[in-house]
Amino acid sequence: MRRYSKRSLGNLKGIHPDLRRVIDRALQEGPLDFIVIEGLRTMQRQRELVASGASQTMNSRHLTGHAVDLLPIGKDGAAFDWPLYDKLGPAVKAAAEAEGVKIEWGGDWQKFRDGPHFQLAWDEYPTEEWVTGDDAPKPRKKTQSTTLQAAAGAATAGAGGVATVLGSLDPVAQYILLGAASLAGLFLLWIVRERLRKWGQGDR
Ligand SMILES: [Zn+2]
């Protein structure tokens, strides 16, 4: 049975419990031992990494405890080495599959291949559903954020109300009210679109 080093255990602090389960299983069942070289990251460190070119985004899953970096240990010791990542990547993905946890491996990225990097998938694990330090994630919802649901609800309620009020007004008042309602609707659509865009920005 493989054991984490002190360093690895330190770097696993503050990591999402589902990701932790995956890493635990990969350590025991995978073909390679590894060191957890990084987990939760401070904003300050992220800024430094972006400045140095080591990371390309300030929207990193490391900042929220949704990502880890693993350094594989081969026959000749620990190495940042593609042949080793090519073994470790599929092993961690198999562990995730067995745990029923959806993850993404940086080694699968086209733009900026990141062999050591593993993160929980954005769509199944949105940032707002778990805050580092919590033991258990909040109950998972398949639906979109409450803000979006509220916006959609308000739009529907608003439309119903408008129809009722319209019936009791004279034609000119109806046009004015309709115009105002469409403007409000357009604004609402824009808000929803902006939120969806931010929500969909899957990046490391
Ligand atoms: Zn990483």
Side-chain angles (χ1 to χ4, degrees), residues 41 62 68-69 114 117:
R41 196 180 275 168
H62 282 288
V68 289
D69 293 332
D114 192 355
H117 182 95

Side-chain angles (χ1 to χ4, degrees), residues 98-111:
E99 290 290 339
V101 172
K102 193 170 163 199
I103 65 159
E104 290 156 3
W105 175 36
D108 288 328
W109 288 333
Q110 306 293 316
K111 262 197 327 195

Side-chain angles (χ1 to χ4, degrees), residues 155-172:
T156 317
V162 165
T164 318
V165 173
L166 269 180
S168 63
L169 291 174
D170 67 66
V172 177

